[in-house]
Amino acid sequence: MKIAGLDIGTTGCKLTVFAEDGRYLDKAYRDYPARRMATAHEIDASAIMAGVYGVMREMAGKYPDIAAIGVTSFGETFVMLDERDDVLNSAMLYTDPRGRTQIEALKAAMDPHDIMRITGLRPHSMYSLSKLMWMKEHHPDMWADTKRILLMEDYVVYRLTGVRQIDYSLATRTMAFDIAKLDWSEAMFDLAGIDPRLMSKPVPTGTPAGTLTRSAAREVGLPQSVVIVSVSHDQVAAAIGAGAFDGSVAVDGAGTVECLTPIYDGMPDLDVMYEGYYSVVPHAVPGKYVAYAFSYTGGALIDWCIRRFAKEERARFGGDVNRALEQAYIDARGDTPSGLIVLPHLAGAATPYMDNDARGAMLGLGMETDLPDIYRACMEGVAYEMRLNVDALQGSGVRFTKLNATGGGARSIAWMQMKADVLDMPITALETADAGTVGCAMLTGVATGVFRDLDDAAEHMVKEVQTYRPRAEMHEKYMEIYRKYEKAYGLLKELRT
């Protein structure tokens, strides 16, 4: 018997297969294109389904005894289906500029703080509701034909099982879900002028939807008995895969995007969360919540630095270029802060600012500055931005005293130690780089009885590699620079205005 996690992303999907005891076995991946133009950022739902069918067929050929598949996905993006279940629209990504006028209308109709208290989200055009309003306003004929509206997780589950259900965490990304009542918000749908009956039924994270339909089973080469589970929004799955089940631990998702995910044992202080643009999302554990604090450029900043400035070094060292630059800095300067300040806002500033017009900056350059210094400063900039978010979350109800780190960045000894020093707390690197897939499989295993509960699943699937502990002397050195870093965003924003 095998279990699998199906992760639907914005650029591709993957299906990862695990043995009954939680051992990783294999995975398949398919990419698909997204269209990003000045006026629209879209993805084709049919391409997503083609990718889903492709990875399922590939793994079915190797592991015909797959018994259950969990589905997790990115958020916000939706499809509208007609009576025959044909897709009517190109699906808008969260970055799509449409919906800005509609979000302003919602904010005028209801105090934004009240919207936050209902939905756990500070109003923003990234969420589904304002984009649905845009579709209704600009495509009335298409809207009249719409019988069902689904986000990507429930769309894939519907195609595979014929059951329309959406888990609580993904439903939150619409900005139309009541995070206290755990149901669609009539108040938000009334404001938007949209019938909530068009949406899928909200269910707890990790709820089985049913088994494959006859046509889906034939399409992918698996038996109809395969159980499909509605897992979660991808960031919640990542928190589960990192073993974060209560407020004592937060997750450092050290990937392309740097995402800090704290866990709350009850409802956070929503006024504090509002000020920092932090989302509040139901956790898989009933009564608990997660929040997302993130920087658009975590690993992406490091990759940018290498692409732009380290072409010769990359040619010389290949896949070891990161480690080579880290060591070159130590050899030249020792294990000490660079003294430079890098604002990692090359793609805009995320929490706690949510300023898409922000730009990156590098301060403190001198004639003695060399490539390893710049590389080290980029690593420090990501760590300082994390510290900025940790400070902004104080007073919200956070109580974590350690971090579990996943993603490619968790393999860097230098970066992990730096984060521990900057944040002044231990950080544990986990074995898996892909916590979302692991979390998806964990919740699938719990839903189908492979594991007793999440703790049992974690014993089998969450593996610690190394814990990095903060050093008091280094922390003080970093804090001297961090106090300057805190001021840099505001000063540069003044130069833009």
Side-chain angles (χ1 to χ4, degrees):
M1 176 182 176
K2 310 293 189 301
I3 57 175
L6 176 62
D7 185 3
I8 313 298
T10 55
T11 59
C13 64
K14 61 177 172 286
L15 183 69
T16 307
V17 181
F18 298 86
E20 191 171 1
D21 61 3
R23 285 180 298 109
Y24 165 83
L25 296 176
D26 206 348
K27 69 179 177 182
Y29 177 81
R30 298 287 188 280
D31 59 13
Y32 33 74
R35 298 181 295 273
R36 297 180 187 271
M37 302 164 284
T39 57
H41 299 173
E42 299 175 335
I43 194 166
D44 187 344
S46 64
I48 290 177
M49 281 310 307
V52 167
Y53 290 144
V55 295
M56 292 179 72
R57 277 194 297 269
E58 182 177 340
M59 290 295 95
K62 296 181 178 181
Y63 307 98
D65 59 339
I66 293 174
I69 299 173
V71 182
T72 184
S73 81
F74 63 102
E76 298 89 33
T77 299
F78 60 87
V79 290
M80 298 153 47
L81 307 184
D82 64 14
E83 189 65 50
R84 298 184 302 276
D85 284 336
D86 292 330
V87 175
L88 296 170
N89 65 305
S90 292
M92 289 186 274
L93 296 172
Y94 77 98
T95 54
D96 191 290
R98 289 169 288 184
R100 291 178 179 176
T101 300
Q102 289 70 26
I103 200 66
E104 293 304 318
L106 284 174
K107 288 160 65 176
M110 181 184 286
D111 186 325
H113 287 83
D114 290 334
I115 294 176
M116 179 82 186
R117 278 187 274 275
I118 294 171
T119 67
L121 306 175
R122 180 165 174 166
H124 195 282
S125 61
M126 76 167 71
Y127 303 118
S128 314
L129 191 61
S130 61
K131 298 185 188 303
L132 285 166
M133 293 169 65
W134 188 95
M135 291 297 297
K136 181 181 179 183
E137 179 179 338
H138 290 269
H139 296 283
D141 293 341
M142 186 187 300
W143 188 264
D145 290 337
T146 298
K147 302 301 178 186
R148 284 167 279 280
I149 298 170
L150 306 98
L151 276 65
M152 287 302 108
E153 172 207 280
D154 48 318
Y155 173 65
V156 170
V157 169
Y158 182 52
R159 289 297 195 202
L160 295 176
T161 67
V163 175
R164 281 202 307 140
Q165 65 178 40
I166 182 171
D167 93 283
Y168 296 158
S169 68
L170 191 64
T172 303
R173 306 307 293 174
T174 62
M175 208 183 76
F177 186 75
D178 190 317
I179 60 168
K181 296 180 180 178
L182 299 178
D183 203 354
W184 296 119
S185 168
E186 292 185 10
M188 294 305 300
F189 279 110
D190 285 346
L191 283 181
I194 294 173
D195 186 350
R197 291 175 296 182
L198 294 171
M199 311 301 291
S200 300
K201 177 185 177 183
V203 296
T205 294
T207 297
T211 56
L212 291 173
T213 64
R214 182 179 302 174
S215 60
R218 186 167 55 247
E219 179 73 37
V220 301
L222 286 169
Q224 277 188 256
S225 59
V226 172
V227 176
I228 303 299
V229 180
S230 297
V231 175
S232 67
H233 185 222
D234 51 13
Q235 292 296 339
V236 172
I240 295 297
F245 306 151
D246 63 42
S248 66
V249 62
V251 181
D252 171 27
T256 301
V257 171
E258 184 80 19
C259 188
L260 175 70
T261 307
I263 313 301
Y264 290 83
D265 297 319
M267 186 69 73
D269 186 312
L270 295 178
D271 290 330
V272 174
M273 307 304 276
Y274 180 92
E275 292 303 319
Y277 291 89
Y278 298 113
S279 304
V280 180
V281 181
H283 193 287
V285 179
K288 299 185 186 299
Y289 294 86
V290 304
Y292 306 149
F294 63 101
S295 171
Y296 293 125
T297 49
L301 179 67
I302 308 305
D303 291 342
W304 169 83
C305 179
I306 290 173
R307 288 198 318 273
R308 296 297 183 188
F309 305 121
K311 294 179 182 178
E312 291 184 10
E313 289 77 6
R314 184 166 57 172
R316 187 190 316 163
F317 295 108
D320 290 330
V321 63
N322 301 74
R323 190 172 302 170
L325 290 172
E326 291 168 7
Q327 189 59 48
Y329 179 88
I330 297 294
D331 292 343
R333 312 288 190 199
D335 188 6
T336 187
S338 70
L340 303 177
I341 292 175
V342 172
L343 282 183
H345 300 159
L346 275 67
T351 57
Y353 304 121
M354 292 307 292
D355 179 0
N356 290 336
D357 294 325
R359 288 296 178 263
M362 190 176 299
L363 307 174
L365 297 174
M367 292 297 292
E368 74 284 359
T369 303
D370 207 347
L371 171 60
D373 302 319
I374 294 173
Y375 181 84
R376 172 85 174 206
C378 287
M379 295 170 65
E380 291 170 351
V382 175
Y384 291 144
E385 195 78 351
M386 287 181 68
R387 174 73 194 218
L388 194 75
N389 277 284
V390 170
D391 288 350
L393 285 164
Q394 298 307 308
S396 67
V398 288
R399 67 174 185 88
F400 63 90
T401 56
K402 61 179 181 178
L403 290 171
N404 285 352
T406 69
R411 299 192 184 101
S412 168
I413 294 173
W415 210 5
M416 289 297 99
Q417 185 60 60
M418 179 189 298
K419 289 178 178 179
D421 292 336
V422 171
L423 298 175
D424 197 24
M425 66 176 65
I427 180 168
T428 298
L430 302 182
E431 184 177 72
T432 179
D434 189 0
T437 299
V438 170
C440 186
M442 288 168 63
L443 284 162
T444 301
V446 172
T448 55
V450 173
F451 304 121
R452 293 188 307 276
D453 51 29
L454 284 176
D455 289 331
D456 182 33
E459 287 184 13
H460 288 83
M461 301 188 70
V462 179
K463 308 296 183 184
E464 296 185 357
V465 175
Q466 184 173 349
T467 296
Y468 302 86
R469 302 193 180 281
R471 299 169 295 180
E473 181 181 352
M474 287 296 291
H475 174 69
E476 288 304 316
K477 291 180 179 179
Y478 280 122
M479 287 303 97
E480 290 178 13
I481 303 166
Y482 173 69
R483 283 187 277 274
K484 300 173 184 178
Y485 180 91
E486 288 181 290
K487 303 173 184 177
Y489 167 79
L491 292 172
L492 289 172
K493 186 175 182 181
E494 286 185 17
L495 296 177
R496 289 193 276 127
T497 58

